[in-house]
Amino acid sequence: MKALVEYLNHKNIIFKSLQEIMPKELGSRKKVSLYLGLDLKGYYALVMEVEKKSRVLRKEAGELMLLHEKLEKYIDSKITKKYILIKAPLCSRAKAMLEENGWKVWHVPE
């Protein structure tokens, strides 16, 4: 988590609080890290970290967006900012799909 906070600070994104939420709490078996942050203006932000060997495809991008919707229901609040840090090969269509839906995509090639 420390490395993620430093990465976010490098991108000039600062949160008052940042808590990890387990995908299991949302009924998911995905191997992703979910962090719910509260920015300085009091808005919720979701930081999702995906690290794997295989390529992130469009279908999986859709599943990650569903996870965001489940999290909004779980905390009963709107999440205004959505960030995803992908440490895996990334399909260009998946990236375009995420960006069209308001996600800020950071791709860190392995």
Side-chain angles (χ1 to χ4, degrees):
M1 186 161 172
K2 185 176 181 228
L4 178 70
V5 171
E6 287 172 2
Y7 185 81
L8 291 170
N9 283 343
H10 176 72
K11 298 276 186 188
N12 292 326
I13 298 170
I14 299 164
F15 295 116
K16 275 194 261 188
S17 68
L18 189 68
Q19 69 182 51
E20 185 171 8
I21 293 180
M22 294 297 168
K24 194 175 266 183
E25 291 177 46
L26 305 174
S28 173
R29 297 179 62 209
K30 285 230 157 281
K31 298 260 191 272
V32 294
S33 301
L34 299 170
Y35 300 96
L36 186 65
L38 194 63
D39 68 8
L40 299 174
K41 293 178 184 159
Y43 293 108
Y44 280 114
L46 171 65
V47 181
M48 199 178 283
E49 193 173 20
V50 179
E51 189 172 348
K52 59 185 213 164
K53 299 270 187 260
S54 59
R55 184 184 290 253
V56 176
L57 298 173
R58 196 169 168 188
K59 179 184 176 198
E60 188 171 359
E63 292 169 0
L64 294 172
M65 289 192 295
L66 281 174
L67 216 51
H68 160 254
E69 290 172 18
K70 285 182 181 176
L71 184 60
E72 281 188 333
K73 287 187 182 105
Y74 182 73
I75 63 166
D76 196 30
S77 184
K78 187 101 174 91
I79 296 173
T80 51
K81 302 258 191 231
K82 301 173 285 194
Y83 306 103
I84 186 163
L85 178 64
I86 299 176
K87 297 178 182 174
L90 177 61
C91 168
S92 60
R93 287 186 179 169
K95 183 176 181 182
M97 181 180 171
L98 286 165
E99 287 174 344
E100 282 169 18
N101 286 291
W103 287 80
K104 178 78 181 135
V105 180
W106 296 310
H107 182 225
V108 183
E110 290 296 300

